[in-house]
Coordinates of all heavy atoms in Angstrom, one line a residue:
Chain B
I71 N 139.0 -42.1 77.1 CA 139.0 -43.1 78.2 C 137.9 -42.8 79.2 O 137.2 -43.7 79.7 CB 140.4 -43.3 78.7 CG1 141.4 -43.8 77.7 CG2 140.4 -44.2 79.9 CD1 141.1 -45.2 77.1
R72 N 137.8 -41.5 79.6 CA 136.8 -41.2 80.6 C 135.4 -41.5 80.1 O 134.6 -42.0 80.8 CB 136.9 -39.7 81.0 CG 138.0 -39.4 82.0 CD 138.0 -38.0 82.4 NE 138.5 -37.1 81.4 CZ 137.8 -36.1 80.8 NH1 136.6 -35.9 81.2 NH2 138.3 -35.4 79.8
S73 N 135.2 -41.2 78.8 CA 133.8 -41.4 78.3 C 133.5 -42.9 78.2 O 132.4 -43.3 78.5 CB 133.8 -40.8 76.9 OG 134.0 -39.4 76.9
L74 N 134.5 -43.6 77.8 CA 134.2 -45.1 77.6 C 133.9 -45.8 78.9 O 133.3 -46.9 78.9 CB 135.4 -45.8 76.9 CG 135.8 -45.2 75.5 CD1 136.7 -46.2 74.8 CD2 134.7 -44.8 74.7
Q75 N 134.4 -45.2 80.0 CA 134.1 -45.9 81.3 C 132.7 -45.6 81.7 O 132.2 -46.2 82.7 CB 135.0 -45.3 82.4 CG 136.4 -45.7 82.2 CD 137.3 -45.1 83.3 OE1 137.3 -45.5 84.4 NE2 138.0 -44.0 82.9
G76 N 132.0 -44.6 81.1 CA 130.7 -44.2 81.5 C 129.7 -45.3 81.1 O 130.1 -46.3 80.5
D77 N 128.5 -45.0 81.4 CA 127.4 -46.0 81.2 C 126.9 -45.9 79.7 O 125.7 -45.7 79.5 CB 126.3 -45.7 82.2 CG 125.3 -46.8 82.3 OD1 125.7 -47.9 82.1 OD2 124.1 -46.5 82.6
I78 N 127.8 -46.1 78.7 CA 127.4 -45.9 77.4 C 127.9 -47.0 76.5 O 129.0 -47.5 76.7 CB 127.9 -44.5 76.8 CG1 129.5 -44.4 76.9 CG2 127.2 -43.4 77.4 CD1 130.0 -43.3 76.1
N79 N 127.1 -47.3 75.5 CA 127.5 -48.2 74.4 C 128.4 -47.4 73.5 O 128.2 -46.3 73.2 CB 126.3 -48.7 73.6 CG 125.7 -50.0 74.2 OD1 126.2 -50.4 75.3 ND2 124.7 -50.5 73.6
I80 N 129.4 -48.1 73.0 CA 130.3 -47.5 72.0 C 130.3 -48.3 70.7 O 129.6 -49.3 70.6 CB 131.8 -47.4 72.6 CG1 132.4 -48.8 72.8 CG2 131.8 -46.6 73.9 CD1 133.8 -48.8 73.2
C81 N 131.0 -47.8 69.7 CA 131.1 -48.5 68.4 C 132.5 -48.4 68.0 O 133.1 -47.3 68.0 CB 130.2 -47.7 67.4 SG 130.3 -48.4 65.8
V82 N 133.1 -49.5 67.7 CA 134.5 -49.6 67.3 C 134.5 -50.1 65.9 O 134.0 -51.2 65.6 CB 135.3 -50.4 68.2 CG1 136.8 -50.6 67.7 CG2 135.4 -49.8 69.6
T83 N 135.2 -49.4 65.0 CA 135.2 -49.8 63.6 C 136.6 -49.9 63.1 O 137.4 -49.0 63.4 CB 134.4 -48.7 62.7 OG1 133.1 -48.7 63.2 CG2 134.4 -49.1 61.2
V84 N 136.9 -51.0 62.4 CA 138.2 -51.2 61.8 C 138.0 -51.4 60.3 O 137.2 -52.2 59.9 CB 138.9 -52.4 62.4 CG1 140.2 -52.8 61.6 CG2 139.2 -52.2 63.9
T85 N 138.8 -50.6 59.5 CA 138.6 -50.6 58.1 C 139.9 -50.8 57.4 O 140.9 -50.2 57.7 CB 138.1 -49.2 57.6 OG1 136.9 -48.9 58.3 CG2 137.7 -49.3 56.1
L86 N 140.0 -51.8 56.5 CA 141.1 -52.1 55.7 C 140.8 -51.8 54.2 O 139.8 -52.3 53.7 CB 141.6 -53.5 55.8 CG 141.8 -54.1 57.2 CD1 142.1 -55.6 57.2 CD2 142.9 -53.3 57.9
L87 N 141.5 -50.9 53.6 CA 141.3 -50.5 52.2 C 142.2 -51.4 51.3 O 143.4 -51.3 51.4 CB 141.6 -49.0 52.1 CG 141.3 -48.4 50.7 CD1 139.9 -48.6 50.3 CD2 141.7 -46.9 50.7
D88 N 141.5 -52.1 50.4 CA 142.3 -53.1 49.6 C 142.4 -52.6 48.2 O 143.3 -53.2 47.5 CB 141.6 -54.4 49.6 CG 141.6 -55.1 51.0 OD1 142.6 -54.9 51.7 OD2 140.6 -55.7 51.4
G89 N 141.7 -51.7 47.7 CA 141.8 -51.2 46.4 C 140.8 -50.3 45.9 O 139.7 -50.1 46.6
L90 N 141.1 -49.6 44.8 CA 140.1 -48.7 44.2 C 139.5 -49.4 42.9 O 140.3 -50.0 42.2 CB 140.8 -47.4 43.8 CG 141.6 -46.7 44.9 CD1 142.3 -45.5 44.3 CD2 140.7 -46.3 46.0
V91 N 138.2 -49.3 42.8 CA 137.5 -50.0 41.7 C 137.1 -49.0 40.7 O 136.2 -48.2 41.0 CB 136.4 -50.8 42.3 CG1 135.6 -51.5 41.2 CG2 136.8 -51.8 43.3
L92 N 137.7 -49.0 39.5 CA 137.4 -48.1 38.5 C 136.5 -48.7 37.4 O 136.9 -49.5 36.6 CB 138.7 -47.6 37.8 CG 139.4 -46.5 38.5 CD1 139.9 -46.9 39.9 CD2 140.6 -45.9 37.7
A93 N 135.2 -48.3 37.5 CA 134.2 -48.8 36.6 C 134.2 -48.0 35.3 O 134.9 -47.0 35.2 CB 132.8 -48.9 37.2
R94 N 133.3 -48.4 34.3 CA 133.1 -47.6 33.2 C 132.3 -46.4 33.5 O 132.5 -45.3 33.0 CB 132.5 -48.4 32.0 CG 133.5 -49.5 31.5 CD 132.8 -50.8 31.1 NE 133.8 -51.8 30.8 CZ 134.2 -52.8 31.6 NH1 133.8 -52.7 32.9 NH2 135.1 -53.7 31.2
S95 N 131.2 -46.6 34.3 CA 130.4 -45.5 34.7 C 130.9 -44.9 36.0 O 131.4 -45.6 36.8 CB 129.0 -46.0 34.9 OG 128.9 -47.0 35.9
A96 N 130.8 -43.6 36.1 CA 131.1 -42.9 37.3 C 130.4 -43.5 38.5 O 130.9 -43.8 39.6 CB 130.8 -41.4 37.3
F97 N 129.1 -43.8 38.3 CA 128.2 -44.4 39.3 C 128.7 -45.6 39.9 O 128.5 -45.9 41.1 CB 126.8 -44.6 38.7 CG 125.8 -45.0 39.7 CD1 125.2 -44.1 40.6 CD2 125.3 -46.3 39.7 CE1 124.2 -44.5 41.5 CE2 124.3 -46.7 40.6 CZ 123.8 -45.8 41.5
H98 N 129.3 -46.5 39.2 CA 129.7 -47.8 39.7 C 131.2 -47.9 40.2 O 131.7 -49.0 40.5 CB 129.4 -48.9 38.7 CG 128.0 -49.3 38.6 ND1 127.3 -49.9 39.6 CD2 127.1 -49.1 37.6 CE1 126.0 -50.1 39.3 NE2 125.9 -49.6 38.1
H99 N 131.8 -46.7 40.2 CA 133.1 -46.7 40.9 C 132.9 -47.1 42.4 O 131.9 -46.8 43.0 CB 133.7 -45.3 40.8 CG 134.5 -45.1 39.5 ND1 133.8 -45.1 38.3 CD2 135.8 -44.9 39.2 CE1 134.7 -44.9 37.3 NE2 135.9 -44.7 37.9
S100 N 133.9 -47.8 42.9 CA 133.8 -48.3 44.2 C 135.1 -48.5 44.9 O 136.2 -48.1 44.3 CB 133.0 -49.7 44.2 OG 132.7 -50.1 45.5
M101 N 135.1 -49.1 46.0 CA 136.4 -49.5 46.7 C 136.3 -50.9 47.1 O 135.2 -51.4 47.5 CB 136.6 -48.6 48.0 CG 137.0 -47.2 47.6 SD 137.2 -46.3 49.2 CE 138.1 -44.8 48.5
N102 N 137.4 -51.6 47.1 CA 137.5 -52.9 47.7 C 138.0 -52.7 49.1 O 139.0 -52.0 49.4 CB 138.4 -53.9 46.9 CG 137.7 -54.3 45.7 OD1 136.5 -54.4 45.6 ND2 138.5 -54.7 44.6
Y103 N 137.4 -53.4 50.1 CA 137.7 -53.1 51.5 C 137.2 -54.3 52.3 O 136.5 -55.1 51.9 CB 137.0 -51.8 51.9 CG 135.5 -52.0 51.9 CD1 134.8 -52.3 53.1 CD2 134.7 -51.8 50.8 CE1 133.4 -52.5 53.1 CE2 133.4 -51.9 50.8 CZ 132.7 -52.3 51.9 OH 131.3 -52.5 51.9
R104 N 137.7 -54.3 53.6 CA 137.1 -55.2 54.6 C 136.9 -54.3 55.8 O 137.8 -53.6 56.2 CB 138.1 -56.3 54.9 CG 138.3 -57.3 53.8 CD 139.5 -58.2 54.0 NE 140.7 -57.4 53.7 CZ 141.9 -57.6 54.1 NH1 142.1 -58.6 55.0 NH2 142.9 -56.9 53.8
S105 N 135.8 -54.4 56.4 CA 135.6 -53.6 57.6 C 134.8 -54.4 58.7 O 134.0 -55.3 58.3 CB 134.8 -52.3 57.3 OG 133.5 -52.5 56.8
V106 N 135.0 -54.0 59.9 CA 134.3 -54.7 61.1 C 133.8 -53.6 61.9 O 134.4 -52.6 62.2 CB 135.3 -55.5 61.9 CG1 134.7 -55.9 63.2 CG2 135.7 -56.8 61.1

Side-chain angles (χ1 to χ4, degrees):
Chain B
I71 296 296
R72 278 185 290 120
S73 301
L74 301 200
Q75 290 178 77
D77 194 27
I78 54 167
N79 271 3
I80 64 172
C81 177
V82 174
T83 300
V84 173
T85 306
L86 305 175
L87 184 58
D88 294 324
L90 306 177
V91 180
L92 279 61
R94 292 145 185 94
S95 61
F97 185 74
H98 284 294
H99 276 62
S100 189
M101 284 179 166
N102 285 336
Y103 66 94
R104 290 163 288 156
S105 65
V106 166

